[in-house]
Amino acid sequence: MKRILVTGGAGFIGSHLCERLIKEGNDVICLDNYFTGSKNNILHLLDSPFFEIVRHDVTTPYFAEVDEIYNLACPASPIHYQYNPIKTVKTSVMGAINMLGLAKRVNAKILQASTSEVYGDPQVHPQTEDYWGHVNPIGERSCYDEGKRCAETLFVNYHQQNDVLIKIIRIFNTYGPNMHPNDGRVVSNFIVQALSGKDITIYGTGNQTRSFQYVDDLINAMLLMMQTDDSFLGPVNIGNPDEFSILELATFVLKLTNSSSKIIFKPLPQDDPTQRKPDISLAQEKLNNWKPEIKLEVGLIKTIEYFSKTL
Ligand code: NAD
Ligand code: UDP
């Protein structure tokens, strides 16, 4: 039985990861400060004697004897990571230092949940891992983008200097059940708006694109990545390459919810990336031919079902 620490375990992705790790027979510690996560996401796991939760902030050190660490702690939605940008940088950077320090001390393997945001507003399309990105270092998104970039640097430095076993994945837009209704990201916003008869808020023209991955596909990739050969560190893109405009997404959500909500247009936030789509050839090569299985329509239906029950 492996002892596994999941930071940010009460969040959207973290809660799915904890559930899956327990199902696979591991002993799981879920660490969270509940900034954007919720105990409701993990309540159902508390019956298991192999699941424990710890209220802790990754900006201060934490110690536990574990074999593996998944480092997810960090607000991921623009409205939440911009709420206290200094704290976002601290969470990414000091959180990475503290978790890497722990990994070094107890000889644990550690996986970093990095992001497609390291590519900024990309000038290469689709994005490959060797693209260095196009990030504004002083813009509204920089606390998150640069924090995550620095965390990648720290991971590689701890590997080179201290032989820590590291894995880096760059996650592209992921959605599914357990997203907070006020999360602010586009899929949950549109579904919540459509279900409650409110206007659907498109920022800008809606011609900007994203590629949406259902959470189960990501969790499969995270487990496969942790099991790859020690010599493969990443970074590796994990996402669904099916690309949609935000306007297409809005139309899709309206159709699937059978909603009569109106679409309205609001100003585009600063530095909002124009297009985003992962090249996943490296993931397919290194992760046993992994590829996303859940089409947008199927994933949206599952997510709509979840929000219909919880709202
Ligand atoms: P989320 O906001 O639902 O989860 C983040 C979790 O981290 C929350 O439970 C929050 O309370 C916790 N947290 C935040 N700051 C903390 C701190 N200082 N100490 C301890 N816990 C803290 O977001 P998510 O979508 O589940 O994202 C999880 C991870 O995946 C993040 O690191 C995010 O950057 C990364 N990621 C997500 C996406 C996506 O589309 N969902 C895309 C790229 C990267
Ligand atoms: N967006 C939108 N309406 C919303 C929320 C987001 O039009 O209510 C847009 C946003 O401007 C961006 C895209 O949807 O172009 C994805 O936004 P999200 O915050 O989900 O993720 P990110 O921009 O970090 O990829």
Side-chain angles (χ1 to χ4, degrees):
M1 187 177 244
K2 273 189 283 191
R3 298 157 303 175
I4 303 180
L5 172 65
V6 179
T7 77
F12 156 52
I13 296 173
S15 57
H16 287 274
L17 180 62
C18 288
E19 182 176 311
R20 176 70 181 276
L21 290 171
I22 288 176
K23 261 193 202 141
E24 304 231 330
N26 299 291
D27 187 355
V28 176
I29 303 174
C30 162
L31 179 155
D32 208 294
N33 72 347
Y34 305 110
F35 174 48
T36 51
S38 162
K39 278 192 187 161
N40 288 326
N41 287 340
I42 45 170
L43 272 185
H44 63 296
L45 303 177
L46 284 173
D47 290 341
S48 166
F50 300 109
F51 182 66
E52 57 196 284
I53 53 178
V54 177
R55 184 188 289 267
H56 183 83
D57 193 306
V58 290
T59 57
T60 59
Y62 172 75
F63 184 81
E65 286 284 349
V66 289
D67 304 299
E68 291 177 357
I69 304 168
Y70 289 84
N71 187 37
L72 274 65
C74 186
S77 156
I79 52 165
H80 291 120
Y81 70 64
Q82 287 163 17
Y83 171 74
N84 183 345
I86 297 171
K87 175 73 192 222
T88 300
V89 176
K90 282 188 183 168
T91 295
S92 274
V93 176
M94 293 164 65
I97 291 172
N98 288 326
M99 290 307 127
L100 284 159
L102 173 62
K104 178 183 162 194
R105 208 164 149 194
V106 301
N107 212 9
K109 191 164 23 166
I110 179 165
L111 179 144
Q112 168 67 354
S114 189
T115 167
S116 52
E117 282 288 316
V118 300
Y119 302 122
D121 189 2
Q123 292 171 319
V124 166
H125 194 76
Q127 291 80 56
T128 42
E129 290 83 354
D130 57 5
Y131 176 49
W132 291 352
H134 181 228
V135 174
N136 175 358
I138 54 165
E140 282 173 8
R141 298 174 86 100
S142 57
C143 58
Y144 183 72
D145 298 9
E146 297 291 14
K148 288 283 186 178
R149 285 169 69 96
C150 184
E152 286 198 10
T153 308
L154 285 161
F155 267 68
V156 171
N157 293 157
Y158 267 78
H159 173 71
Q160 289 166 345
Q161 220 172 306
N162 298 123
D163 294 322
V164 175
L165 280 177
I166 62 149
K167 306 278 174 193
I168 301 172
I169 58 168
R170 293 184 178 151
I171 304 170
F172 283 64
N173 296 66
T174 303
Y175 68 97
N178 296 4
M179 290 185 92
H180 196 281
N182 299 327
D183 179 274
R185 281 176 281 184
V186 69
V187 175
S188 48
N189 262 15
F190 285 1
I191 293 177
V192 171
Q193 289 163 344
L195 290 176
S196 49
K198 297 199 178 121
D199 293 342
I200 306 280
T201 53
I202 290 189
Y203 304 156
T205 58
N207 291 325
Q208 70 270 37
T209 69
R210 294 293 186 273
S211 305
F212 298 103
Q213 164 174 246
Y214 188 69
V215 62
D216 290 358
D217 285 326
L218 166 64
I219 302 297
N220 288 339
M222 291 177 96
L223 267 64
L224 287 167
M225 181 62 176
M226 196 55 120
Q227 288 150 22
T228 49
D229 196 273
D230 288 351
S231 63
F232 181 61
L233 318 176
V236 59
N237 290 337
I238 305 294
N240 187 326
D242 293 345
E243 186 181 5
F244 296 88
S245 73
I246 297 305
L247 199 52
E248 283 173 320
L249 177 72
T251 316
F252 221 2
V253 169
L254 281 173
K255 190 182 117 205
L256 294 175
T257 51
N258 208 11
S259 166
S260 51
S261 290
K262 283 202 317 296
I263 290 181
I264 58 163
F265 293 87
K266 294 195 147 193
L268 188 69
Q270 188 198 26
D271 297 335
D272 198 286
T274 315
Q275 51 180 5
R276 183 182 288 153
K277 168 183 163 131
D279 180 317
I280 58 164
S281 336
L282 183 64
Q284 287 183 291
E285 181 198 327
K286 298 288 185 183
L287 309 182
N288 293 338
N289 286 324
W290 168 86
K291 63 174 175 15
E293 306 288 348
I294 315 275
K295 291 273 163 222
L296 183 60
E297 180 169 2
V298 177
L300 284 178
I301 291 171
K302 288 172 188 267
T303 313
I304 290 166
E305 268 169 25
Y306 167 78
F307 279 112
S308 308
K309 276 190 222 132
T310 51
L311 277 180

